[in-house]
Amino acid sequence: MYFAAVGDVHGHMYAMLGLLQAWESRDRQKLAFVLQVGDFEPHRQQADLATMDAPNRYRKLGEFSDFYSKKAEFPWQIYFIGGNHEPYGFLDLMPAGGEVTKNCYYLGRVGFCELAGLKIVGLSGIYRENLFLHTARPDIAQIGSRSNKDYIGFIQSDIDRALDFQSADILMLHEWSTDTIAADDIESFQQWLPSLKYEVLGNEYARMLIEFLQPKLVLCGHMHKSYRNQVSFSPGTVTDICCLANVQQGKDAIAIFKLAPDGTIVEVSN
């Protein structure tokens, strides 16, 4: 059984489909489902753009409206989390998640699903220090009178709910965790993005979830950078880290995994 993970889509639904269908055609296999790591941008209509945190030049309706209006249909079930560029005025109507259109499901601010026997946990948003300790986010009725940035972060209670799941086979994050980058790769990362400071990349709460839930696989996006690593936060456990580019960057935006009968998850060529 094969499934796919996809990086930031930013409304380019047909580019995402093209990458995944190209793999199916080349390898003559069918994907069972697709996991998407945020900045999906499921804008139904122009009004949704006003509830997204992004500069005006990036506020574009995108192609999700075709799928929402049933002009097009996703050929697999897609499960996505929220990033920092989402229409939260729409998504926060279903903070616990739900179906947003046929074959397309939002996992919520913190969510869980079981697919092919895999326990999948997702955390939406990014870490923002000024938001994290809030007991609650502003109500969506306040959108328009509050900064859209007030809706893009996860808060402490989200982390607590994620920890309540106790374990996970796959953990979906938008933002990277601290200690994602191997020491040998730091120099190449700094060449890629000279302003990058390793010590401030990612957030410690994502790492806390990895350490506690001990997933076999962590998926993340946000940085628009393809990267793989393995981490071990406790003896005898190894977690594969899969960071993905955005779909406009091509094949680096997708990862294809094979699920073996014994539950092992192995990345295959895309």
Side-chain angles (χ1 to χ4, degrees):
M1 192 211 74
Y2 296 88
F3 68 92
V6 179
D8 297 17
V9 174
H10 293 295
H12 298 282
M13 305 296 160
Y14 293 115
M16 175 183 69
L17 265 59
L19 292 169
L20 296 172
Q21 290 172 330
W23 178 85
E24 287 189 325
S25 178
R26 189 197 73 190
D27 284 55
R28 299 181 181 181
Q29 299 287 348
K30 185 70 177 174
L31 293 170
F33 56 86
V34 176
L35 305 176
Q36 198 281 324
V37 294
D39 283 358
F40 190 57
E41 294 192 24
H43 303 300
R44 302 165 296 172
Q45 54 207 9
Q46 289 289 336
D48 285 339
L49 297 174
T51 74
M52 177 179 75
D53 177 51
N56 285 334
R57 68 182 181 276
Y58 293 124
R59 292 187 183 187
K60 298 179 181 179
L61 184 59
E63 297 157 353
F64 179 78
S65 60
D66 285 357
F67 296 83
Y68 189 76
S69 65
K70 307 298 193 293
K71 293 178 183 177
E73 184 178 307
F74 293 112
W76 327 273
Q77 290 189 338
I78 296 177
Y79 298 81
F80 72 95
I81 58 171
N84 55 309
H85 299 300
E86 306 287 12
Y88 279 114
F90 168 39
L91 294 182
D92 273 357
L93 294 172
M94 52 180 84
E99 185 177 27
V100 296
T101 193
K102 186 175 181 181
N103 281 344
C104 187
Y105 303 87
Y106 173 47
L107 286 185
R109 287 291 185 168
V110 181
F112 161 81
C113 63
E114 186 170 324
L115 301 168
L118 295 171
K119 184 177 181 180
I120 300 166
V121 174
L123 172 71
S124 291
I126 62 173
Y127 174 69
R128 289 179 61 85
E129 185 177 6
N130 63 316
L131 301 177
F132 182 71
L133 294 178
H134 288 192
T135 56
R137 289 179 200 83
D139 189 274
I140 59 171
Q142 295 179 274
I143 285 184
S145 61
R146 300 286 296 256
S147 168
N148 287 344
K149 291 186 184 297
D150 291 344
Y151 297 87
I152 66 174
F154 55 79
I155 59 178
Q156 187 169 2
S157 61
D158 295 330
I159 298 297
D160 292 340
R161 289 200 304 274
L163 292 172
D164 284 343
F165 289 116
Q166 298 293 315
S167 65
D169 294 306
I170 299 175
L171 176 62
M172 297 170 63
L173 304 168
H174 184 61
E175 186 178 18
W176 297 21
S177 81
T178 54
D179 300 318
T180 291
I181 303 174
D184 291 345
D185 296 328
I186 294 174
E187 184 176 349
S188 65
F189 265 78
Q190 290 173 333
Q191 291 173 353
W192 166 67
L193 187 64
S195 62
L196 175 68
K197 294 182 179 180
Y198 171 75
E199 64 271 17
V200 299
L201 176 67
N203 70 83
E204 61 184 313
Y205 296 99
R207 173 182 166 150
M208 180 194 304
L209 292 182
I210 297 171
E211 191 168 357
F212 184 81
L213 298 176
Q214 297 189 11
K216 301 172 184 176
L217 174 65
V218 173
L219 304 172
C220 47
H222 189 52
M223 296 290 292
H224 296 184
K225 172 75 170 173
S226 176
Y227 182 66
R228 305 292 188 276
N229 194 13
Q230 288 187 323
V231 296
S232 179
F233 293 129
S234 61
T237 65
V238 175
T239 295
D240 290 315
I241 306 289
C242 173
C243 304
L244 297 155
N246 74 73
V247 296
Q248 291 183 290
Q249 293 171 285
K251 290 174 60 177
D252 282 350
I254 69 170
I256 308 297
F257 297 93
K258 182 177 182 179
L259 178 63
D262 65 357
T264 303
I265 302 171
V266 179
E267 184 174 2
V268 300
S269 172
N270 65 5

